[in-house]
């Protein structure tokens, strides 16, 4: 499995989850786990996805998700699981 962590943060708006999930489905990326909260109007989502069958490479997906985030007014970050774990181990 090729796990990746995707985080989405920004002001809440209609369609954020739908647009992110549509992008993932269009690129054959499977959602393994998802958690989302809204606190005082701010949206926060964390997803663990499997990119094993993805039709694009990680860097391309990461850049496209970043661009999608800019279009919908949120910040989207995409990190490989091993890098995410090393950054948050301390």
């Amino acid at each position: 499995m090729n796990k990746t962590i995707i985080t989405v943060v920004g002001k809440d708006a209609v369609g954020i989850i739908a647009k992110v999930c549509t992008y993932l489905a269009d690129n054959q990326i499977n959602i393994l786990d998802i958690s989302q909260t809204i606190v005082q109007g701010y949206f926060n989502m964390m997803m663990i996805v499997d990119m094993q069958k993805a039709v694009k490479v990680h860097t391309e997906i990461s850049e496209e998700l970043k661009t999608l985030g800019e279009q919908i007014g949120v910040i989207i970050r995409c990190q490989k699981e091993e890098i995410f774990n090393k950054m948050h181990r301390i």
Side-chain angles (χ1 to χ4, degrees):
M1 204 174 301
N2 186 1
K3 289 185 184 177
T4 296
I5 311 300
I6 297 173
T7 57
V8 182
V9 178
K11 284 201 143 203
D12 189 30
V14 174
I16 295 171
I17 296 172
K19 289 174 183 166
V20 173
C21 289
T22 297
Y23 174 86
L24 297 176
D26 289 347
N27 287 282
Q28 301 300 309
I29 300 168
N30 187 37
I31 299 169
L32 303 172
D33 200 356
I34 183 171
S35 170
Q36 75 93 117
T37 58
I38 299 169
V39 178
Q40 296 184 5
Y42 290 94
F43 178 86
N44 184 27
M45 179 169 65
M46 181 174 160
M47 308 171 94
I48 301 173
V49 300
D50 179 7
M51 294 185 39
Q52 189 169 359
K53 296 180 181 177
V55 296
K56 299 175 183 172
V57 296
H58 183 274
T59 53
E60 187 176 7
I61 290 167
S62 183
E63 283 301 314
E64 288 179 359
L65 283 170
K66 180 180 175 184
T67 300
L68 174 63
E70 291 168 357
Q71 293 169 356
I72 61 177
V74 296
I75 298 168
I76 303 177
R77 296 193 64 201
C78 183
Q79 297 175 298
K80 291 183 179 182
E81 181 186 41
E82 60 269 14
I83 294 170
F84 184 88
N85 287 338
K86 287 179 182 177
M87 284 177 51
H88 293 90
R89 186 172 42 171
I90 295 179

